[in-house]
Amino acid sequence: MTKKTPSFPLPLIFCYFLTLLLLGCGEKNTRKDTDETSTIEETTVTETKDSNKKILFFGDSLTAGYGLEVSQAFPAVIQEKIDSLGLDYTVINAGLSGETTASGKNRLEWVLEDDIDIIIIELGANDGLRGVPLTETESNLQSMVDAVQSKLPDAKIILAGMKIPPNMGPEYTSKFESIFPELATSENIKLIPFLLNNVAGIPELNQGDGIHPTVKGQKLVAENVWKVLKPIL
């Protein structure tokens, strides 16, 4: 059976991802000139309140809230939802624009604290847009899951799924999308089917660059995350 995908306007979604590729590459090239320490300093790591339990959002510009205040990014919206329910969790935003699974795998150890209870891994989009070999993306994601399970065996992991346009060919596109659910199933971890569902390719929900969600778009992204996160809390 052929798997159905969300009915996004093709020209809009293609422009969305093409622009993301160009921006991501530019951000990545800029970081090549920095040493490891300065790269770490670029990472947005924001704890919004004191708590005994922590939720780590580890991802790229979508998690970092590119173009907005950190308080408007979807991890902060999640914190508001948690606070409204009186739950004792602190959200940590560890998003870094331009991040790939390869650089994310190397950066993870710097932000993976001993007292993290839940980690949401949101990486892979830049890999797909750059045509990174699928086996490499899959291996890097697997390594990050393994690292969390090794260091924090009691922590719960949520994997954010991503989709790409068909310009890399139907076989690559289909396999890329399947990496996320297959890994979630094999490792028995939770999956957000598509982080940008009902947001990607919709002009009024994205900033002027057409690729990063607006404040309203971030709230919808937060809803996609919340559907999976809330039952765990």
Side-chain angles (χ1 to χ4, degrees), residues 60-210:
D60 51 34
S61 60
L62 297 173
T63 293
Y66 179 88
L68 303 174
E69 298 293 331
V70 176
S71 60
Q72 297 172 320
F74 75 84
V77 178
I78 294 294
Q79 182 72 77
E80 293 174 0
K81 292 178 179 293
I82 289 173
D83 292 344
S84 70
L85 295 175
L87 300 175
D88 188 27
Y89 286 91
T90 293
V91 165
I92 304 171
N93 185 333
L96 180 62
S97 295
E99 192 85 292
T100 63
T101 59
S103 57
K105 179 183 69 172
N106 296 329
R107 184 170 66 97
L108 182 60
E109 63 177 295
W110 295 95
V111 297
L112 200 59
E113 301 174 0
D114 292 334
D115 56 351
I116 291 172
D117 296 272
I118 301 172
I119 178 170
I120 292 84
I121 300 175
E122 178 273 304
L123 287 172
N126 287 323
D127 291 46
L129 295 169
R130 297 171 186 178
V132 172
L134 295 168
T135 53
E136 182 178 331
T137 298
E138 186 175 16
S139 176
N140 290 335
L141 288 171
Q142 180 71 64
S143 294
M144 284 184 274
V145 171
D146 290 344
V148 175
Q149 292 176 334
S150 176
K151 184 173 183 179
L152 303 173
D154 295 327
K156 296 179 175 62
I157 303 173
I158 299 176
L159 186 64
M162 186 55 66
K163 301 177 184 293
I164 58 173
N167 58 302
M168 291 293 180
E171 183 177 355
Y172 184 97
T173 301
S174 177
K175 178 57 180 175
F176 175 84
E177 294 179 10
S178 69
I179 288 175
F180 303 92
E182 288 178 1
L183 179 58
T185 299
S186 66
E187 294 298 325
N188 193 28
I189 60 179
K190 299 297 183 181
L191 174 72
I192 302 166
F194 180 33
L195 182 72
L196 299 176
N197 188 42
N198 297 321
V199 177
I202 303 177
E204 59 268 28
L205 296 178
N206 291 278
Q207 298 175 47
D209 59 15

Side-chain angles (χ1 to χ4, degrees), residues 31-50:
R31 295 205 319 280
K32 287 181 180 178
D33 296 330
T34 62
D35 58 22
E36 187 174 47
T37 301
S38 61
T39 298
I40 296 168
E41 290 175 349
E42 289 177 3
T43 305
T44 300
V45 179
T46 304
E47 295 186 27
T48 53
K49 70 185 186 68
D50 294 328

